[in-house]
Amino acid sequence: MKKLFITLAVILFAAYAANAQRYCVIDTKYILESIPDYKEAQSKLDAIADQWQKEIDAKFQEIDKMYKAYQAEQVMLTDELKKKREDEIVAKEKDAKELQRKRFGYEGDLFKKREELIKPIQDKIYNAVQKLAASRMYDFVLDKSAGITVIFSDPKLDKSEDILASLGVKKQ
């Protein structure tokens, strides 16, 4: 009976070992921040976003001035002129909000620019991760910088440097 139990345990252990999952951990935030093209693309995006934000801020400041002028002159205006001024202010505010949505909204200009500048870099990283996973037969590649909580990972499992090397990025 004891031999049967040991034999069964060895068979179960061998079956478990044969099905063991191989995995590694990467840090895409670290990888991205180590790639000069990404830093350059992010700087361009930041500059564009700042420029667009200043444009929108100027429109809202103009609306604020119009509203303050309207409040100051309101008592002297006829009902018709009040209505006209209010409509102008509302129209300008609507235009400013529309511009803000067009620039920064879902699938707006900034989203499209980010796709244009950042996505090719992310695609290179993804392809490098796929090659690494295939060549080393990893079943899972966990990203410790994206929403997955990795409480602990052995540093030897972190293959971020391998990804950077395959992308031709030299350590700084």
Side-chain angles (χ1 to χ4, degrees):
M1 185 68 170
K2 190 174 184 180
K3 282 186 178 183
L4 180 62
F5 178 75
I6 291 173
T7 305
L8 185 60
V10 168
I11 291 171
L12 286 173
F13 179 77
Y16 175 77
N19 289 329
Q21 304 290 318
R22 291 181 44 105
Y23 62 93
C24 72
V25 176
I26 63 169
D27 185 345
T28 54
K29 183 178 178 190
Y30 167 74
I31 292 169
L32 282 169
E33 290 173 354
S34 299
I35 297 174
D37 288 347
Y38 175 77
K39 290 178 185 177
E40 184 180 323
Q42 192 61 49
S43 293
K44 285 180 184 177
L45 273 177
D46 291 345
I48 290 168
D50 285 346
Q51 177 186 345
W52 288 343
Q53 188 60 51
K54 286 177 185 173
E55 179 184 358
I56 290 166
D57 289 345
K59 288 193 177 290
F60 279 111
Q61 286 175 355
E62 182 183 341
I63 293 165
D64 190 47
K65 285 180 185 175
M66 287 176 67
Y67 182 70
K68 287 179 181 174
Y70 168 74
Q71 283 183 321
E73 299 167 352
Q74 184 177 8
V75 290
M76 297 181 289
L77 298 175
T78 65
D79 288 343
E80 186 178 305
L81 283 175
K82 284 182 190 178
K83 176 76 172 135
K84 183 181 176 189
R85 285 284 209 48
E86 289 170 0
D87 290 346
E88 287 174 358
I89 293 169
V90 168
K92 284 248 187 210
E93 189 172 16
K94 184 179 175 185
D95 289 344
K97 286 180 179 179
E98 177 60 28
L99 179 63
Q100 188 174 36
R101 187 200 58 75
K102 180 181 175 249
R103 295 286 196 220
F104 297 106
Y106 177 69
E107 292 190 11
D109 294 341
L110 187 64
F111 176 82
K112 290 173 186 168
K113 199 67 169 169
R114 181 174 282 119
E115 285 273 310
E116 175 189 323
L117 296 173
I118 303 288
K119 190 164 183 338
I121 298 166
Q122 290 174 326
D123 289 345
K124 283 181 187 177
I125 293 169
Y126 179 74
N127 291 334
V129 169
Q130 277 188 311
K131 286 179 187 174
L132 178 79
S135 69
R136 298 194 186 170
M137 297 186 297
Y138 291 124
D139 296 308
F140 297 101
V141 178
L142 303 174
D143 182 3
K144 65 183 180 182
S145 71
I148 298 174
T149 303
V150 177
I151 302 296
F152 171 80
S153 71
D154 189 335
K156 71 183 178 196
L157 294 174
D158 190 335
K159 303 302 178 191
S160 301
E161 293 296 333
D162 295 346
I163 298 297
L164 286 170
S166 72
L167 292 169
V169 176
K170 302 217 187 299
K171 216 175 173 187
Q172 299 171 9

